[in-house]
Each structure stands twice: as structure tokens, then as C-alpha cells.
Amino acid sequence: MESNKKDVKFILPMNLLGGRENIVKVNNCATRLRLEVKDANKVNAEEIKKYYPAVQKISDKEVHIVVGTNASELAESLERIIAFDDNASNMAMNLIPMLGGKENIVKVNNCATRLRLEVKNADKVNEEKYYPVIQKISNTEVHVVVGIKAFELADELSKILNDSDANTDYSNRAWLLIPMLGGIENIVKVNNCATRLRLNLKDANKVNAEEIKKYYPAVQKISDTELHIIVGTSVSELAEDLEKLLESQSVKTALLLPLVGGIENITKVSNCATRLRLEIKDINKVNIESIKKYYPAVETINNNEIHIVVGTDASELAKEFKKFVI
């Protein structure tokens, strides 16, 4: 009998959790990821909140992330990543900055269990992340023992480096870019031309251009509110996936939750045709002016209720909010 289980992918960059090597064990309850870690101080809670607004450091060895009703699927996906059993696209995207960035990689080859890489400068390769066996053969050659996925990973890495359109998961790249662009709330509009991603931003100074250059070496700050990234011929697919993420209900929820005082400030979620109706504990924790930057029509009904006019997808957004409100 075919399983009806949802295929939910863990979308946090691993470095926000302190890297694969920082995660000891993954558990979950109905709505939370419960992570046993080596050092909770290596977990970047503020950046994680751009994906999942409720993050709790329970102790020096334990972190909880409220992810909603997909918690079990996300936990399984994270476990696959830790076991190096995630898809090749994720693995390749995590590998690029470790190898000194896209511009440092000249050629990709493999044998049965190793990536054999020709690089410009082997000293730029970070030996401490993800793969315990890394050999610097010479100043321009590096071998990485990745296991039986060596061929698949080499193929995916070559596609990304050459901007090949075949079988490439651009959603991985889009998720990866969001925190580097200053977070969800900093992105106003996404456009593209033949080879460039053209972004209208609230503040281009919040962009981490040096991190982006590890994937796309040419990044241009056009003005304080516009940024261009030269992606190559695959730019339209990347722009489309980035737009989809910004339009998704889960991303909108991640954007709004901190502005209404966080999950713990919401007691009830409902909606009408165009409004998100929230019953809250403390009106003083609600940042009305910041909400208006995204949804101009916000009404304070009383000290315990606000309405946000979000449009015809109000019911879908309310459903997503309910996943987070315990």
C-alpha cells in the first residue's frame, strides 16, 4: 500500500545549527524539533528565527525549534542529512563554501567513494566541516571521502558550477540565499534578466555579499535598495523559486509571528474572507507599524484582538498560523 506521508524537507542551512558535527541527536514532539547538541552556543537562534520564529535554548546541550505539525517529517529529514543520506543537491550546496567558494573550484572528478577536486588554492579549503576525511594532495588538488554517493554528488556539483539546468533543485539555492540577503523581511521584489538576479531590497547594507560570492562570485550593489547577482543561464528558475518562497504561507507566517509578539502572545487564530484575526495576550508586544510595511491595513479591535487584511489567501495563512499556535 502506498504511503500517504508528506515529503517534507529540512530547509535550515546546517551552519545555523553549528554544523553537522554539532548535532548529537534529533527528536521531536507534535510541533517541535528537539535537538541534543554538543554546544548550544554554536546555534544561531536569531538567524533560525527567520525560518521558524520560536527557538528555545533549553540548556547548554539542548535546543527546541517550534516548526508546526510537520515536526516528525522535518526530524526525519534532518536525520537523513546527518547520516549523509540527503539528496545530492543539498550536499553539493553545503560543500561549495567549504571548498573555498565557487570561484575556487576548477574541475570536479570522482572515484567510487571520493570527490577529486582541482582547485585554485587548496589552503582555502575548510577541513573542519561535514566530511572527516579530506586530503590535500597538492596546492591545487583536494580529495574528499564522501562514500558511495561520490558519483551523484560530483555530478550535482558539476551542474551547479556550470549552471546546468538539468535536474537542478533551485529551491535549495533560493532557501540558501534568503538569510544572506538580510532575511525574508528585507526582500521587496525579485526580477531577473538573461543572467542576473535583480533584487529590490529594503536595505542593501544588510546583504552578506561575501557569503553570496562563495556561490555566485559576481555581486553588485546598484544602490542602497537594489542588488544584482550574476547567476548564469539558470537565473529564471532561481528567481521563480525565490518568488514562490516569498509568496508561501509558511514564509509569511515566519515574517509575521515576531511582529505580533511571537507564538506565546497568540491565544487564538481565525479569519474571514480577507482578514487574519488574532486574539492576543498583550497588545503592547504587537509592532503595528512594522506589520503595516507588509500589510497596510491593520486594525486594533481591542486590547486583546487585532485584524490584519492579508487578501484572499486569508484562510490559507490562518491555517499556517494555527500550526505554530499550540
Coordinates of all heavy atoms in Angstrom, one line a residue, residues 215-293:
Y215 N 29.1 31.3 -3.7 CA 28.2 30.6 -4.7 C 28.2 31.3 -6.0 O 28.2 30.6 -7.1 CB 26.8 30.4 -4.1 CG 26.8 29.7 -2.8 CD1 26.8 30.5 -1.6 CD2 26.7 28.4 -2.7 CE1 26.8 29.8 -0.4 CE2 26.7 27.7 -1.5 CZ 26.7 28.4 -0.3 OH 26.7 27.8 0.9
Y216 N 28.1 32.6 -6.0 CA 28.0 33.4 -7.2 C 29.0 34.6 -7.1 O 28.7 35.6 -6.4 CB 26.6 34.0 -7.4 CG 25.5 32.9 -7.4 CD1 24.7 32.7 -6.3 CD2 25.4 32.0 -8.5 CE1 23.7 31.7 -6.3 CE2 24.4 31.0 -8.5 CZ 23.6 30.9 -7.4 OH 22.6 29.9 -7.4
P217 N 30.2 34.4 -7.7 CA 31.2 35.4 -7.4 C 31.0 36.8 -7.8 O 31.6 37.7 -7.2 CB 32.4 34.8 -8.3 CG 32.1 33.4 -8.4 CD 30.6 33.3 -8.5
A218 N 30.0 37.1 -8.7 CA 29.8 38.5 -9.1 C 28.5 39.0 -8.5 O 27.4 38.6 -8.8 CB 29.6 38.6 -10.6
V219 N 28.7 39.9 -7.5 CA 27.6 40.5 -6.7 C 27.7 42.0 -6.8 O 28.8 42.6 -6.5 CB 27.5 40.1 -5.3 CG1 26.4 40.7 -4.5 CG2 27.5 38.6 -5.1
Q220 N 26.7 42.7 -7.3 CA 26.8 44.2 -7.5 C 25.8 44.9 -6.6 O 24.6 44.6 -6.8 CB 26.7 44.5 -8.9 CG 27.8 44.0 -9.8 CD 27.5 44.3 -11.3 OE1 26.4 44.1 -11.8 NE2 28.5 44.9 -12.0
K221 N 26.2 45.8 -5.8 CA 25.3 46.7 -5.1 C 25.0 47.9 -6.0 O 25.8 48.8 -6.1 CB 25.9 47.1 -3.7 CG 25.0 48.0 -2.9 CD 25.7 48.4 -1.6 CE 24.9 49.5 -0.9 NZ 25.6 50.0 0.3
I222 N 23.8 48.0 -6.6 CA 23.5 49.0 -7.5 C 23.1 50.3 -6.7 O 23.5 51.4 -7.2 CB 22.3 48.6 -8.4 CG1 22.6 47.3 -9.1 CG2 22.0 49.7 -9.4 CD1 23.8 47.3 -10.0
S223 N 22.4 50.2 -5.6 CA 22.0 51.3 -4.8 C 21.8 50.8 -3.4 O 22.0 49.6 -3.1 CB 20.8 52.0 -5.3 OG 19.6 51.2 -5.2
D224 N 21.3 51.6 -2.5 CA 21.0 51.2 -1.1 C 19.8 50.3 -1.1 O 19.5 49.7 -0.1 CB 20.8 52.4 -0.2 CG 22.0 53.1 0.1 OD1 23.1 52.5 0.0 OD2 22.0 54.3 0.5
T225 N 19.1 50.2 -2.2 CA 17.9 49.3 -2.2 C 17.8 48.3 -3.4 O 16.8 47.7 -3.7 CB 16.6 50.2 -2.3 OG1 16.6 51.0 -3.4 CG2 16.4 51.0 -1.0
E226 N 18.9 48.2 -4.1 CA 19.0 47.3 -5.3 C 20.3 46.5 -5.3 O 21.3 47.1 -5.1 CB 18.7 48.0 -6.6 CG 18.6 47.1 -7.8 CD 18.2 47.8 -9.1 OE1 18.0 49.0 -9.0 OE2 18.1 47.1 -10.1
L227 N 20.1 45.2 -5.6 CA 21.3 44.3 -5.7 C 21.1 43.4 -6.9 O 20.1 42.9 -7.2 CB 21.4 43.5 -4.4 CG 22.6 42.6 -4.3 CD1 23.8 43.4 -3.7 CD2 22.3 41.4 -3.4
H228 N 22.3 43.2 -7.6 CA 22.3 42.3 -8.7 C 23.3 41.2 -8.4 O 24.3 41.4 -7.9 CB 22.7 43.0 -10.0 CG 21.7 43.9 -10.6 ND1 21.9 44.6 -11.8 CD2 20.5 44.4 -10.1 CE1 20.9 45.4 -12.0 NE2 20.0 45.3 -11.0
I229 N 22.8 39.9 -8.7 CA 23.7 38.7 -8.6 C 23.8 38.0 -9.9 O 22.7 37.7 -10.5 CB 23.2 37.8 -7.5 CG1 23.0 38.5 -6.2 CG2 24.1 36.6 -7.4 CD1 22.2 37.6 -5.1
I230 N 25.0 37.9 -10.5 CA 25.1 37.2 -11.8 C 25.1 35.7 -11.5 O 26.0 35.1 -10.9 CB 26.4 37.6 -12.5 CG1 26.4 39.1 -12.8 CG2 26.6 36.8 -13.8 CD1 27.6 39.6 -13.5
V231 N 24.0 35.1 -11.9 CA 23.8 33.6 -11.6 C 24.1 32.8 -12.9 O 24.5 31.6 -12.7 CB 22.3 33.4 -11.3 CG1 22.0 32.0 -11.1 CG2 22.0 34.2 -10.0
G232 N 23.9 33.3 -14.1 CA 24.1 32.5 -15.3 C 22.7 32.2 -15.9 O 21.7 32.8 -15.6
T233 N 22.7 31.3 -16.8 CA 21.5 31.0 -17.6 C 20.4 30.3 -16.8 O 19.3 30.2 -17.3 CB 21.9 30.1 -18.8 OG1 22.5 28.9 -18.4 CG2 22.8 30.8 -19.8
S234 N 20.7 29.9 -15.6 CA 19.6 29.3 -14.8 C 18.9 30.3 -13.9 O 18.1 29.9 -13.1 CB 20.3 28.2 -13.9 OG 21.2 28.8 -13.0
V235 N 19.2 31.6 -14.2 CA 18.6 32.6 -13.3 C 17.1 32.6 -13.2 O 16.5 32.9 -12.2 CB 19.2 34.0 -13.7 CG1 18.7 34.4 -15.1 CG2 18.9 35.0 -12.6
S236 N 16.4 32.4 -14.3 CA 15.0 32.5 -14.3 C 14.4 31.4 -13.4 O 13.4 31.7 -12.7 CB 14.4 32.3 -15.7 OG 14.7 31.0 -16.3
E237 N 14.9 30.2 -13.3 CA 14.4 29.2 -12.4 C 14.7 29.6 -11.0 O 13.8 29.4 -10.1 CB 15.1 27.8 -12.7 CG 14.7 27.2 -14.1 CD 15.5 27.7 -15.2 OE1 16.3 28.7 -15.1 OE2 15.3 27.2 -16.3
L238 N 15.9 30.1 -10.7 CA 16.2 30.6 -9.3 C 15.2 31.7 -8.9 O 14.7 31.7 -7.8 CB 17.6 31.0 -9.3 CG 18.1 31.5 -7.9 CD1 17.9 30.5 -6.8 CD2 19.6 32.0 -8.0
A239 N 15.0 32.7 -9.8 CA 14.1 33.8 -9.5 C 12.7 33.3 -9.2 O 12.0 33.7 -8.3 CB 14.1 34.8 -10.6
E240 N 12.2 32.3 -10.0 CA 10.9 31.8 -9.8 C 10.7 31.1 -8.5 O 9.8 31.3 -7.8 CB 10.6 30.8 -11.0 CG 9.2 30.2 -10.9 CD 8.9 29.2 -12.0 OE1 9.8 29.1 -12.9 OE2 7.8 28.7 -12.0
D241 N 11.8 30.3 -8.1 CA 11.7 29.6 -6.8 C 11.8 30.6 -5.6 O 11.1 30.4 -4.6 CB 12.8 28.5 -6.7 CG 12.3 27.2 -7.2 OD1 11.1 26.9 -7.1 OD2 13.1 26.5 -7.8
L242 N 12.6 31.6 -5.8 CA 12.7 32.6 -4.7 C 11.4 33.3 -4.6 O 10.9 33.6 -3.4 CB 13.8 33.6 -5.1 CG 14.2 34.6 -4.0 CD1 14.6 33.9 -2.7 CD2 15.4 35.5 -4.5
E243 N 10.7 33.7 -5.7 CA 9.4 34.3 -5.6 C 8.3 33.4 -4.9 O 7.5 33.8 -4.1 CB 8.9 34.7 -7.0 CG 9.6 35.9 -7.5 CD 9.1 36.3 -8.9 OE1 8.9 35.4 -9.8 OE2 8.9 37.5 -9.2
K244 N 8.4 32.1 -5.3 CA 7.5 31.1 -4.7 C 7.6 31.1 -3.1 O 6.7 31.0 -2.4 CB 7.7 29.7 -5.2 CG 7.2 29.5 -6.6 CD 7.5 28.2 -7.2 CE 7.0 28.0 -8.6 NZ 7.4 26.6 -9.1
L245 N 8.9 31.1 -2.7 CA 9.1 31.1 -1.2 C 8.6 32.3 -0.6 O 8.0 32.3 0.5 CB 10.6 30.9 -1.0 CG 11.3 29.6 -1.2 CD1 12.8 29.6 -1.0 CD2 10.7 28.5 -0.2
L246 N 8.8 33.5 -1.2 CA 8.4 34.7 -0.6 C 6.8 34.8 -0.6 O 6.3 35.5 0.2 CB 9.0 35.9 -1.4 CG 10.5 36.0 -1.3 CD1 11.0 37.1 -2.2 CD2 11.0 36.2 0.1
E247 N 6.2 34.1 -1.5 CA 4.7 34.1 -1.5 C 4.1 33.0 -0.7 O 2.9 33.0 -0.5 CB 4.2 33.9 -3.0 CG 4.5 35.1 -3.9 CD 4.3 34.9 -5.4 OE1 3.9 33.7 -5.7 OE2 4.6 35.8 -6.2
S248 N 4.9 32.1 -0.2 CA 4.3 31.0 0.5 C 3.8 31.4 1.9 O 4.2 32.3 2.5 CB 5.4 29.9 0.7 OG 6.3 30.2 1.7
Q249 N 2.8 30.6 2.3 CA 2.1 30.9 3.6 C 3.1 30.7 4.8 O 3.0 31.4 5.8 CB 0.9 30.1 3.8 CG -0.2 30.2 2.7 CD -0.5 31.7 2.4 OE1 -0.6 32.5 3.3 NE2 -0.8 32.0 1.1
S250 N 3.9 29.7 4.7 CA 4.9 29.4 5.8 C 5.9 30.6 5.9 O 6.2 30.9 7.0 CB 5.6 28.1 5.5 OG 6.3 28.1 4.3
V251 N 6.3 31.1 4.8 CA 7.3 32.3 4.9 C 6.6 33.5 5.4 O 7.1 34.2 6.2 CB 7.9 32.5 3.5 CG1 8.7 33.8 3.5 CG2 8.8 31.4 3.1
K252 N 5.3 33.7 5.0 CA 4.5 34.9 5.5 C 4.3 34.7 7.0 O 4.4 35.7 7.8 CB 3.2 35.0 4.8 CG 3.3 35.4 3.4 CD 1.9 35.4 2.7 CE 2.0 35.8 1.3 NZ 0.6 35.7 0.6
T253 N 4.1 33.5 7.5 CA 3.9 33.2 8.9 C 5.2 33.5 9.6 O 5.2 34.2 10.7 CB 3.5 31.8 9.1 OG1 2.3 31.5 8.4 CG2 3.3 31.5 10.6
A254 N 6.3 33.1 9.1 CA 7.6 33.3 9.7 C 7.9 34.8 9.8 O 8.5 35.3 10.8 CB 8.7 32.6 9.0
L255 N 7.4 35.6 8.8 CA 7.6 37.0 8.8 C 6.7 37.7 9.9 O 7.2 38.6 10.6 CB 7.2 37.5 7.4 CG 7.3 39.1 7.2 CD1 8.8 39.5 7.2 CD2 6.6 39.4 5.9
L256 N 5.5 37.3 10.0 CA 4.5 38.0 10.9 C 4.6 37.6 12.4 O 4.4 38.5 13.2 CB 3.1 37.7 10.4 CG 2.6 38.5 9.2 CD1 1.3 38.0 8.8 CD2 2.6 40.0 9.5
L257 N 5.0 36.4 12.6 CA 4.9 35.9 14.0 C 5.7 36.8 15.0 O 5.2 37.2 16.1 CB 5.4 34.5 14.2 CG 4.3 33.4 13.9 CD1 4.9 32.0 13.9 CD2 3.2 33.5 15.0
P258 N 7.0 37.2 14.7 CA 7.7 38.0 15.6 C 7.1 39.4 15.8 O 7.2 40.0 16.8 CB 9.1 38.2 15.0 CG 9.2 37.1 14.0 CD 7.8 36.8 13.5
L259 N 6.4 39.9 14.8 CA 5.8 41.2 14.8 C 4.5 41.3 15.6 O 4.1 42.3 16.1 CB 5.5 41.7 13.4 CG 6.7 41.8 12.4 CD1 6.2 42.3 11.1 CD2 7.8 42.6 13.0
V260 N 3.9 40.1 15.9 CA 2.7 40.1 16.8 C 3.1 39.6 18.2 O 2.2 39.2 19.0 CB 1.6 39.2 16.2 CG1 1.1 39.8 14.9 CG2 2.0 37.8 16.0
G261 N 4.3 39.6 18.5 CA 4.8 39.3 19.8 C 5.2 37.8 20.0 O 5.4 37.4 21.1
G262 N 5.3 37.1 18.9 CA 5.7 35.7 19.0 C 4.6 34.8 19.3 O 3.4 35.2 19.6
I263 N 4.9 33.5 19.1 CA 3.9 32.4 19.3 C 3.2 32.5 20.7 O 2.0 32.4 20.8 CB 4.5 31.1 19.1 CG1 4.9 30.8 17.7 CG2 3.6 29.9 19.6 CD1 5.8 29.6 17.5
E264 N 4.0 32.8 21.7 CA 3.4 32.8 23.0 C 2.4 33.9 23.3 O 1.7 33.9 24.3 CB 4.6 32.8 24.1 CG 5.3 34.1 24.1 CD 6.4 34.3 23.0 OE1 6.5 33.4 22.2 OE2 7.0 35.4 22.9
N265 N 2.4 34.9 22.4 CA 1.5 36.1 22.6 C 0.1 35.8 21.9 O -0.8 36.6 22.1 CB 2.1 37.3 22.1 CG 1.5 38.6 22.6 OD1 1.1 38.7 23.7 ND2 1.3 39.6 21.7
I266 N 0.0 34.8 21.2 CA -1.3 34.5 20.4 C -2.1 33.4 21.2 O -1.6 32.4 21.5 CB -1.0 34.0 19.0 CG1 -0.1 35.0 18.3 CG2 -2.2 33.8 18.2 CD1 0.5 34.4 17.0
T267 N -3.3 33.7 21.4 CA -4.2 32.8 22.1 C -5.2 32.1 21.1 O -5.6 31.0 21.4 CB -5.0 33.5 23.2 OG1 -5.8 34.6 22.7 CG2 -4.1 34.0 24.3
K268 N -5.5 32.8 20.0 CA -6.5 32.2 19.1 C -6.3 32.8 17.7 O -6.0 34.0 17.6 CB -7.9 32.4 19.5 CG -9.0 31.7 18.7 CD -10.4 31.9 19.3 CE -11.4 31.2 18.4 NZ -12.8 31.4 19.0
V269 N -6.5 31.9 16.7 CA -6.3 32.4 15.3 C -7.6 32.0 14.5 O -8.2 30.9 14.6 CB -5.2 31.6 14.6 CG1 -5.1 32.1 13.1 CG2 -3.9 31.8 15.3
S270 N -8.1 33.0 13.8 CA -9.3 32.8 12.9 C -9.2 33.7 11.7 O -8.2 34.5 11.6 CB -10.6 33.1 13.7 OG -10.7 34.4 14.2
N271 N -10.2 33.7 10.9 CA -10.1 34.5 9.7 C -11.5 34.7 9.1 O -12.4 34.0 9.4 CB -9.2 33.9 8.6 CG -9.8 32.6 8.0 OD1 -9.7 31.5 8.6 ND2 -10.4 32.7 6.8
C272 N -11.6 35.8 8.3 CA -12.8 35.9 7.4 C -12.3 35.9 6.0 O -11.2 35.3 5.7 CB -13.5 37.2 7.7 SG -12.5 38.7 7.4
A273 N -13.0 36.4 5.0 CA -12.6 36.3 3.6 C -11.3 36.9 3.3 O -10.5 36.3 2.5 CB -13.7 36.9 2.7
T274 N -10.9 38.0 3.9 CA -9.7 38.7 3.6 C -8.8 39.1 4.8 O -7.8 39.7 4.7 CB -10.0 40.0 2.9 OG1 -10.8 40.9 3.7 CG2 -10.7 39.8 1.5
R275 N -9.3 38.7 6.0 CA -8.6 39.2 7.2 C -8.1 38.0 8.1 O -8.8 37.0 8.2 CB -9.5 40.0 8.1 CG -10.0 41.3 7.5 CD -10.8 42.1 8.5 NE -11.3 43.3 8.0 CZ -11.4 44.4 8.7 NH1 -11.2 44.4 10.0 NH2 -11.8 45.6 8.1
L276 N -6.9 38.2 8.6 CA -6.4 37.3 9.6 C -6.8 37.9 11.0 O -6.4 39.1 11.2 CB -4.8 37.2 9.5 CG -4.1 36.3 10.5 CD1 -4.4 34.8 10.1 CD2 -2.6 36.5 10.4
R277 N -7.5 37.2 11.8 CA -8.0 37.7 13.1 C -7.2 37.0 14.2 O -7.3 35.8 14.3 CB -9.5 37.4 13.2 CG -10.3 38.1 12.1 CD -11.8 37.6 12.2 NE -12.6 38.2 11.1 CZ -13.6 38.9 11.3 NH1 -14.1 39.2 12.5 NH2 -14.3 39.4 10.3
L278 N -6.5 37.8 15.0 CA -5.7 37.2 16.1 C -6.1 37.7 17.4 O -6.2 38.9 17.7 CB -4.2 37.6 15.8 CG -3.6 37.1 14.5 CD1 -2.2 37.7 14.4 CD2 -3.6 35.6 14.4
E279 N -6.4 36.8 18.3 CA -6.6 37.1 19.7 C -5.2 37.0 20.4 O -4.5 36.0 20.3 CB -7.6 36.2 20.4 CG -9.0 36.4 19.9 CD -10.0 35.5 20.6 OE1 -9.7 35.0 21.7 OE2 -11.1 35.3 20.0
I280 N -4.9 38.0 21.2 CA -3.5 38.1 21.7 C -3.6 38.4 23.2 O -4.6 38.8 23.8 CB -2.7 39.2 21.0 CG1 -3.4 40.5 21.1 CG2 -2.4 38.7 19.6 CD1 -2.6 41.6 20.5
K281 N -2.4 38.1 23.9 CA -2.3 38.4 25.3 C -2.0 39.8 25.7 O -2.6 40.4 26.6 CB -1.3 37.5 25.9 CG -1.6 36.0 25.9 CD -0.5 35.2 26.5 CE -0.8 33.7 26.4 NZ 0.4 32.9 26.9
D282 N -1.1 40.4 24.9 CA -0.6 41.7 25.2 C -0.4 42.5 24.0 O 0.5 42.3 23.2 CB 0.8 41.6 26.0 CG 1.3 42.9 26.5 OD1 0.7 44.0 26.2 OD2 2.3 42.9 27.2
I283 N -1.3 43.6 23.8 CA -1.2 44.4 22.6 C 0.1 45.2 22.5 O 0.5 45.6 21.5 CB -2.4 45.4 22.7 CG1 -2.6 46.1 21.3 CG2 -2.3 46.4 23.8 CD1 -3.0 45.2 20.2
N284 N 0.7 45.4 23.7 CA 2.0 46.2 23.7 C 3.1 45.5 23.0 O 4.1 46.1 22.7 CB 2.4 46.6 25.1 CG 1.3 47.5 25.8 OD1 0.9 48.5 25.1 ND2 0.9 47.2 27.0
K285 N 3.0 44.2 22.8 CA 4.0 43.4 22.2 C 3.9 43.3 20.7 O 4.7 42.8 20.0 CB 4.0 41.9 22.7 CG 4.5 41.9 24.2 CD 4.6 40.4 24.7 CE 5.1 40.3 26.1 NZ 5.1 38.9 26.6
V286 N 2.8 43.9 20.2 CA 2.5 43.9 18.7 C 3.1 45.1 18.1 O 2.8 46.2 18.5 CB 1.0 43.8 18.5 CG1 0.7 43.9 17.0 CG2 0.3 42.6 19.1
N287 N 3.9 44.9 17.1 CA 4.5 46.0 16.3 C 3.7 46.4 15.1 O 3.9 45.9 14.0 CB 5.9 45.6 15.9 CG 6.8 46.8 15.4 OD1 6.2 47.7 14.9 ND2 8.1 46.7 15.6
I288 N 2.7 47.2 15.4 CA 1.7 47.6 14.3 C 2.4 48.3 13.1 O 2.1 47.9 12.0 CB 0.6 48.6 14.9 CG1 -0.2 47.9 16.0 CG2 -0.3 49.0 13.8 CD1 -1.0 46.7 15.6
E289 N 3.3 49.2 13.4 CA 4.0 49.9 12.3 C 4.8 49.0 11.4 O 4.8 49.2 10.2 CB 4.8 51.0 12.9 CG 4.1 52.2 13.6 CD 2.9 52.7 12.7 OE1 3.2 53.0 11.5 OE2 1.8 52.8 13.1
S290 N 5.4 48.0 12.0 CA 6.2 47.1 11.2 C 5.3 46.2 10.4 O 5.6 45.9 9.2 CB 7.1 46.2 12.1 OG 8.2 47.0 12.6
I291 N 4.2 45.8 10.9 CA 3.2 44.9 10.2 C 2.7 45.7 9.0 O 2.5 45.2 7.9 CB 2.0 44.5 11.1 CG1 2.5 43.6 12.2 CG2 1.0 43.8 10.2 CD1 1.5 43.3 13.2
K292 N 2.5 47.0 9.1 CA 1.9 47.9 8.1 C 2.9 48.0 6.9 O 2.5 48.3 5.8 CB 1.6 49.3 8.6 CG 0.3 49.3 9.4 CD 0.1 50.7 9.9 CE -1.2 50.8 10.7 NZ -1.5 52.1 11.2
K293 N 4.2 47.7 7.1 CA 5.1 47.7 6.0 C 4.8 46.6 5.0 O 5.2 46.7 3.8 CB 6.5 47.5 6.5 CG 7.0 48.7 7.3 CD 8.4 48.5 7.9 CE 8.9 49.6 8.8 NZ 10.2 49.3 9.4

